[in-house]
């Protein structure tokens, strides 16, 4: 029964913070609301019996990724509000209508696939025997060991790519600055 | 556990849709990027919910990999946004119209 109360406490916060994130004019406010949303998702993971992903969600998303976001926002200084006028006419209405259609479509698919009020959720304690971390490690390092190793290559390539993008080329910067017509500060 | 799994899937669908609308509507590259993160997280929630429904940990492993890919994606994407900002002095995606004839 506790999960029922936790769900109905957390779900509105999750949806509202996500909606406010999309509507926020200030990028810093959007980032903070997204952190709230990540925490609510972590609680969902805990309700669903996935304590490892609960911790990883908080450490990786709410910790590392959002700090990176805030760092870039502060670095670029784009924390001033932006004008919200439309450049393509009717873009917002069309996007909202398409979004509603997508929600209805997924809702219909869920209703057809699982049913909206299936009372019995299968027992998870046998799967999580010995703790969620141990059970997950057993699956990860047996069946999915090769993909796990491949992610190390992915992370290395991502780090090299970020380094190449962030590199400041002095000659290139001068030409760009004169082309834009601004003096470098 | 009394909460039906389908409720989690509906929350996931709503979050994914909010992220999609954010990508379609906003023009600040950083907020578009945050909306993409929201979409990735919504899919993670669906994966974990299905893992619970099927009594199988594969969905959680897939959500874990998706988090790793999201971390790599954030690193590269933010680097692209920073270099775009250096060139155009703006994080507005409409200003990045180099290919416009």
């Amino acid at each position: 029964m506790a999960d029922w109360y936790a769900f109905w406490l957390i779900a509105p916060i999750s949806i509202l913070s996500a909606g406010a994130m999309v509507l926020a004019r200030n990028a810093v406010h959007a980032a903070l609301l997204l952190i709230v949303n990540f925490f609510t998702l972590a609680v969902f993971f805990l309700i669903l019996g996935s304590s490892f992903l609960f911790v990883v969600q908080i450490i990786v998303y709410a910790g590392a990724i959002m700090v990176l976001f805030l760092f870039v926002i502060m670095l670029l200084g784009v924390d001033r509000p932006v004008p919200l006028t439309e450049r393509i006419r009717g873009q917002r209405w069309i996007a909202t209508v398409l979004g509603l259609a997508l929600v209805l479509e997924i809702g219909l698919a869920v209703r057809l696939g699982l049913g909206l009020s299936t009372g019995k959720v299968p027992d998870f304690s046998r799967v999580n025997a010995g703790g969620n971390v141990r059970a997950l490690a057993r699956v990860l390092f047996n069946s999915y060991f090769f993909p796990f190793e491949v992610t190390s290559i992915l992370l290395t390539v991502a780090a090299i790519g970020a380094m190449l993008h962030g590199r400041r080329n002095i000659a290139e910067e001068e030409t760009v600055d004169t082309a834009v017509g601004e003096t470098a500060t | 556990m009394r909460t039906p799994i389908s409720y989690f899937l509906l929350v996931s669908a709503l979050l994914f849709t909010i992220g999609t609308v954010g990508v379609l509507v906003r023009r600040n590259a950083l907020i578009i990027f945050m909306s993409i993160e929201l979409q990735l997280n919504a899919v993670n929630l669906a994966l974990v919910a299905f893992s619970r429904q099927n009594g199988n940990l594969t969905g959680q492993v897939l959500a874990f990999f998706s988090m790793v890919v999201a971390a790599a994606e954030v690193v590269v994407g933010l680097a692209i946004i920073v270099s775009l900002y250096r060139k155009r002095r703006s994080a507005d995606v409409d200003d990045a119209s180099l290919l416009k004839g």
Side-chain angles (χ1 to χ4, degrees):
Chain A
M1 208 59 197
D3 59 281
W4 178 262
Y5 292 124
F7 177 83
W8 285 108
L9 180 69
I10 294 299
I13 300 176
S14 182
I15 303 291
L16 287 178
S17 65
M21 189 275 283
V22 168
L23 295 176
R25 302 184 63 143
N26 190 322
V28 177
H29 295 172
L32 293 176
L33 287 164
L34 193 57
I35 292 176
V36 172
N37 190 58
F38 285 166
F39 272 104
T40 60
L41 278 166
V43 176
F44 282 141
F45 290 163
L46 196 61
I47 296 172
L48 288 166
S50 169
S51 44
F52 177 69
L53 287 180
F54 162 73
V55 174
V56 169
Q57 173 85 9
I58 289 177
I59 293 176
V60 173
Y61 268 109
I65 290 181
M66 290 320 291
V67 167
L68 209 59
F69 262 106
L70 285 172
F71 178 73
V72 169
I73 291 170
M74 301 299 176
L75 183 74
L76 300 187
V78 289
D79 52 346
R80 54 183 175 274
V82 289
L84 291 176
T85 51
E86 290 181 320
R87 290 211 185 155
I88 306 170
R89 210 160 53 83
Q91 181 189 10
R92 242 168 258 167
W93 282 110
I94 295 171
T96 312
V97 168
L98 287 177
L100 282 176
L102 185 62
V103 166
L104 289 177
E105 190 183 346
I106 300 177
L108 191 67
V110 169
R111 188 169 183 278
L112 292 177
L114 283 179
L116 284 185
S117 58
T118 46
K120 195 83 178 109
V121 176
D123 190 26
F124 210 52
S125 54
R126 199 176 52 77
V127 181
N128 264 345
N132 178 248
V133 178
R134 183 175 291 184
L136 200 61
R138 207 175 289 127
V139 178
L140 184 62
F141 292 116
N142 284 326
S143 315
Y144 298 95
F145 187 66
F146 182 65
F148 178 75
E149 291 295 327
V150 170
T151 54
S152 66
I153 300 175
L154 173 75
L155 288 172
T156 314
V157 170
I160 294 171
M163 201 183 68
L164 286 177
H165 269 293
R167 190 184 52 174
R168 190 182 284 267
N169 191 338
I170 294 167
E172 181 190 330
E173 192 179 60
E174 277 170 358
T175 58
V176 167
D177 276 341
T178 49
V180 172
E182 284 177 1
T183 52
T185 52
Chain B
M1 175 111 177
R2 297 282 303 276
T3 320
I5 295 298
S6 47
Y7 287 15
F8 291 96
L9 294 177
L10 290 179
V11 170
S12 158
L14 271 170
L15 290 178
F16 185 85
T17 308
I18 291 170
T20 312
V21 172
V23 171
L24 289 176
V25 165
R26 296 306 300 259
R27 293 209 311 271
N28 187 333
L30 280 164
I31 294 184
I32 290 177
F33 209 49
M34 287 183 213
S35 302
I36 295 174
E37 289 303 308
L38 188 64
Q39 288 178 301
L40 284 168
N41 268 287
V43 172
N44 277 353
L45 178 60
L47 284 171
V48 175
F50 276 122
S51 156
R52 183 75 169 79
Q53 170 74 25
N54 293 328
N56 188 336
L57 283 172
T58 309
Q60 293 187 19
V61 172
L62 198 54
F64 175 69
F65 281 130
S66 142
M67 283 180 184
V68 175
V69 173
E73 175 238 346
V74 162
V75 168
V76 176
L78 284 177
I80 290 173
I81 290 175
V82 168
S83 69
L84 189 71
Y85 186 81
R86 267 198 207 137
K87 286 222 192 320
R88 314 293 300 179
R89 292 284 156 214
S90 159
D92 193 325
V93 288
D94 281 352
D95 289 341
S97 54
L98 286 167
L99 288 177
K100 195 172 178 181

